Amino acid sequence: MTSPPNRLKWSVIRALLGTVGRTSKGIRTGYRHGFDSGTMLDYVYVNQARGLLGIGRLIDRVYLNAIGWRAIRARRDLLQEVLRQEIARRPGREVFILDVAAGPGRYLQDLIAPYPPGRVRVLCRDLAGPGLWQGERLARERGLDNIAYEMGDALAPRVPPEGPPDIIVVSGLYELLLDDATIQKSLTHLHTLLAPGGTLTFTTQTHHPQLDFIANVLPNRNGDLWVMKCRPAEEPESWALAAGFTATSTRSENLGLFTVTTCTPA
């Protein structure tokens, strides 16, 4: 239970963030779409301070430099590196990637842009329309016709009409789920969707120094306070093995808040 002094502290911080803080473009984006949304994540990836007058840009730079957002960008970099390695393991043919909770999928657009036509194809799914529409618009502007967007539930994904994917990505989702059994069920289901020789790649949040601040101040996409759960990487690894995957490999980004795990099915 939160003590009265802490309740007062969080109330003051919420009031400041909801007033002066809104001069920051990033904080306004968080209040509009949810601080856990794909649209917010896309803003963090771009990492360009914007806001009203000088104070708004200054607040935005402080906001974007928060350790959690710096770790998110480091997680993106590590995830892209892992995916490039997975693509390289499949030479001479097109590689099909499905991200089940992609939002705008900017990191995937950056990933596939250097590849020649016919080498990589991506499907981005999400339940939040604004993120998908933002991704579609960005892909058109960049001339990328090998990435598609559609509505879809990350916890009940179906095999795409194009066939089973070579790589399935679950990035930034499992840390938002408080129920362990939901993640275990997801891993079991995703195991059945992969093409032969396919790979599942997922992220885990193992540590975060600002969990109390986030859980008491920042609203999520549903308008509730954003509560996250940290887990040791070994825990979802063991769930993946129980789901039928035969091998796992986990790497940590350089700030030590997130890991990226790859799994291969039997």
Side-chain angles (χ1 to χ4, degrees):
M1 181 179 296
T2 306
S3 65
N6 278 337
R7 284 200 296 271
L8 177 61
K9 177 183 74 173
W10 296 128
S11 295
V12 170
I13 293 174
R14 284 195 297 270
L16 287 172
L17 206 68
T19 53
V20 178
R22 287 180 185 263
T23 60
S24 151
K25 176 68 179 298
I27 292 174
R28 289 202 308 276
T29 299
Y31 275 112
R32 180 177 180 183
H33 297 283
F35 285 87
D36 65 336
S37 67
T39 301
M40 182 76 263
L41 193 66
D42 188 69
Y43 187 85
V44 170
Y45 283 165
V46 174
N47 194 25
Q48 293 178 357
R50 285 171 281 180
L52 303 176
L53 307 175
I55 184 65
R57 289 190 295 274
L58 177 60
I59 293 173
D60 208 44
R61 175 43 57 199
V62 173
Y63 173 72
L64 288 168
N65 282 348
I67 187 170
W69 295 140
R70 287 189 282 120
I72 287 286
R73 291 190 290 270
R75 183 187 72 184
R76 170 204 58 193
D77 295 343
L78 176 58
L79 182 56
Q80 287 176 327
E81 180 181 342
V82 168
L83 292 175
R84 282 192 290 267
Q85 292 171 351
E86 288 298 321
I87 293 168
R89 288 201 310 109
R90 299 166 170 86
R93 66 176 180 87
E94 185 176 68
V95 178
F96 180 25
I97 301 174
L98 167 65
D99 188 321
V100 298
R106 183 183 296 268
Y107 86 96
L108 288 165
Q109 294 188 19
D110 293 341
L111 171 75
I112 65 177
Y115 289 99
R119 184 67 178 98
V120 185
R121 179 165 46 96
V122 174
L123 176 59
C124 295
R125 284 183 178 156
D126 206 285
L127 282 176
L132 295 175
W133 304 329
Q134 182 181 351
E136 288 180 326
R137 183 172 62 252
L138 181 61
R140 286 196 303 270
E141 292 171 355
R142 300 178 70 171
L144 296 173
D145 58 5
N146 55 339
I147 184 167
Y149 292 82
E150 67 178 24
M151 298 286 286
D153 185 348
L155 297 179
R158 63 190 186 281
V159 175
E162 304 93 322
D166 300 295
I167 303 168
I168 295 177
V169 182
V170 188
S171 177
L173 174 65
Y174 289 161
E175 43 265 54
L176 305 180
L177 301 177
L178 305 184
D179 179 42
D180 294 348
T182 300
I183 299 175
Q184 295 168 8
K185 183 178 179 181
S186 169
L187 291 167
T188 299
H189 183 61
L190 293 176
H191 178 271
T192 68
L193 298 187
L194 281 166
T199 300
L200 170 66
T201 301
F202 64 83
T203 64
T204 301
Q205 183 170 257
T206 60
H207 170 67
H208 200 302
Q210 297 175 320
L211 286 179
D212 283 347
F213 167 79
I214 294 168
N216 285 280
V217 175
L218 302 183
N220 63 19
R221 69 187 70 189
N222 298 317
D224 303 317
L225 287 172
W226 179 11
V227 179
M228 293 184 289
K229 184 173 183 178
C230 295
R231 299 175 175 89
E234 295 79 9
E235 196 165 44
E237 278 185 327
S238 69
W239 298 339
L241 293 173
F245 292 94
T246 58
T248 63
S249 174
T250 297
R251 296 169 60 185
S252 175
E253 44 78 19
N254 56 22
L255 291 173
L257 273 62
F258 294 96
T259 58
V260 175
T261 299
T262 57
C263 314
T264 54

